[in-house]
Amino acid sequence: MAETLAAVRAEAGALAAVRSRPQLAMSEAVAKDSWLGWFLAGMTPGDWVNACLLLVGILTLLWTARSLRLQSKAQDFASFLSLSDRFSTAWRRFRQTSDDDWKRYEFAEILNLIESACHFYNKGALHGVTRDVYGLYLKEVIRDIHKNDFAVTTMKEALSGPDTFFHIRRFARMHDIEGAPHQ
């Protein structure tokens, strides 16, 4: 009986060795033939942890970049609303004024607001749809201002030096606005 038990154990051991050989041979072949197999075969548990942390870091970086892009768009929209409100208020005050001196003052304030908007536009501070909308608005307003005698006269009176309304002139030159000075 002892002989039979020893023979069964020997046969089981031989069978187990035969079964494990193809798997061993396969993993050795993958490790030798593929850079990925070679790379993965040599990784320790610590390497796996570091790889996972690297993946989490990359995903966090991508999420942060997306959040910053969305925040920038929201800021542009807030700037758009603020500037729109300021233009609306300035034009309303100009229209409600009946005194010529006050009318000139209010129009000079509008010109300063247009100068600020042109400055933001020229420097690239406005982006996307906000930039497009304000570009169209500024082109129209500057074109209309230079067609109106009162506006041209008031603009000339408001000039205090060679750099006054520089950004309006630069914007007009960049967009080839008819009637506007391109100096």
Side-chain angles (χ1 to χ4, degrees), residues 86-96 107 110 114 137 141 145:
R86 292 187 66 198
F87 270 115
S88 177
T89 302
W91 283 113
R92 189 177 312 111
R93 282 194 324 251
F94 173 73
R95 280 190 215 106
Q96 290 174 350
F107 191 74
I110 291 171
I114 293 170
Y137 177 75
V141 168
I145 285 173

Side-chain angles (χ1 to χ4, degrees), residues 23-42:
Q23 291 173 349
L24 207 84
M26 182 59 127
S27 67
E28 287 174 3
V30 169
K32 290 180 182 174
D33 292 342
S34 164
W35 69 269
L36 182 62
W38 172 81
F39 180 74
L40 295 177

